[in-house]
Amino acid sequence: MDVQIESSWKALLQSEFDKPYFKELTDFVKLEYQKKAIYPPGKFIFNAFNLCPFDKIKAVIIGQDPYHGPGQAHGLCFSVQDGTPFPPSLLNIFKEIQNDLGIPIPESGNLTRWAEQGVFLLNATLTVRAHEAGSHQKKGWETFTDEVIRIIAQQKEHVVFLLWGAYAQKKSEMIDKHRHLVLESVHPSPLSASRGFFGNHQFSNVNKYLKQHLKEEINW
């Protein structure tokens, strides 16, 4: 199957695109876009991959679902398009960065600048129906994104994986902690942020680890 995706990822994932489950997933997603309002817009489905080629990856943040409100999702987990109010989890992420590194809360919640520096912002499910959280789960996306995580973990060295909340933390079993740094925390949502997300200093810890391994730090 010919999937429009950045060339380094295409080479790595072509065998996955050729599997029967991915054909079924693609047929399902195409039909959903024809019948319903689906987020993100189709051109942004593989935005995380297109903005962060494989060789540039320094850190990985794993989300669950795209945002399901209008004008929000654009293919990067936790990120929203310019001009969109911050969802609560994203605001808490910015608050922790401010507490940790003294960086003021930005005007835009668009995290493209992180992706371009090598932060791979991957949702486990890459599409969703408008106003129906989880509506595209268990259709094949998780099989695909689990393979993406495995490939990163197996073929790269010294990547930082940020696993926030129980869902993301389940992915840790695919990651060799001798080759990579895994930072786990509660989710930044208002329900849990005060139970350990605030004060976890993960953003400064990412940069410490990158510096130790002679990689350029992230400008959060």
Side-chain angles (χ1 to χ4, degrees):
M1 180 175 293
D2 184 24
V3 175
Q4 300 305 304
I5 194 171
E6 190 274 333
S7 58
S8 64
W9 283 112
K10 186 160 193 167
L12 286 162
L13 295 169
Q14 188 58 57
S15 61
E16 211 63 20
F17 296 145
D18 291 336
K19 289 180 180 176
Y21 89 85
F22 198 85
K23 169 73 165 62
E24 290 173 19
L25 170 63
T26 302
D27 290 345
F28 165 76
V29 170
K30 281 181 179 172
L31 194 59
E32 286 282 284
Y33 273 94
Q34 288 168 15
K35 290 165 40 182
K36 304 175 188 296
I38 304 297
Y39 298 122
K43 65 181 179 179
F44 289 135
I45 292 174
F46 294 108
N47 203 24
F49 300 81
N50 294 334
L51 290 172
C52 188
F54 185 75
D55 66 334
K56 296 273 181 71
I57 294 173
K58 299 177 196 169
V60 178
I61 300 177
I62 298 172
Q64 190 163 357
D65 248 5
Y67 295 122
H68 52 78
Q72 293 181 305
H74 64 128
L76 305 177
C77 72
F78 293 103
S79 179
V80 290
Q81 299 185 59
D82 291 327
T84 306
F86 298 164
S89 293
L90 180 59
L91 180 58
N92 286 340
I93 289 168
F94 288 147
K95 284 179 179 176
E96 174 55 22
I97 291 170
Q98 186 176 42
N99 294 337
D100 187 12
L101 294 165
I103 297 171
I105 293 173
E107 291 183 9
S108 172
N110 189 326
L111 303 181
T112 294
R113 61 193 176 83
W114 291 7
E116 290 173 340
Q117 293 179 79
V119 183
F120 187 54
L121 297 162
L122 181 68
N123 275 316
T125 303
L126 298 188
T127 54
V128 69
R129 282 183 203 151
H131 312 299
E132 290 185 50
S135 49
H136 283 188
Q137 290 177 8
K138 300 182 179 168
K139 302 293 184 182
W141 278 131
E142 296 92 338
T143 303
F144 173 70
T145 54
D146 278 359
E147 184 58 24
V148 169
I149 294 165
R150 273 191 210 96
I151 287 170
I152 296 169
Q154 289 169 4
Q155 297 194 27
K156 291 189 73 73
E157 300 279 347
H158 309 311
V159 172
V160 188
F161 290 83
L162 296 104
L163 308 181
W164 299 336
Y167 183 87
Q169 286 164 17
K170 287 177 189 166
K171 310 297 183 185
S172 68
E173 63 195 34
M174 295 183 270
I175 304 161
D176 181 349
K177 296 173 183 63
H178 299 291
R179 291 176 66 173
H180 306 287
L181 178 63
V182 176
L183 297 175
E184 298 189 3
S185 170
V186 297
H187 197 275
S189 81
L191 295 172
S192 55
S194 60
R195 299 203 307 269
F197 186 80
F198 293 136
N200 66 21
H201 300 290
Q202 290 196 348
F203 301 96
S204 57
N205 285 331
V206 169
N207 281 346
K208 269 185 217 162
Y209 183 82
L210 293 177
K211 195 172 180 182
Q212 283 169 7
H213 294 283
L214 307 178
K215 297 185 181 187
E216 195 172 340
E217 297 169 58
I218 306 296
N219 178 10
W220 298 105

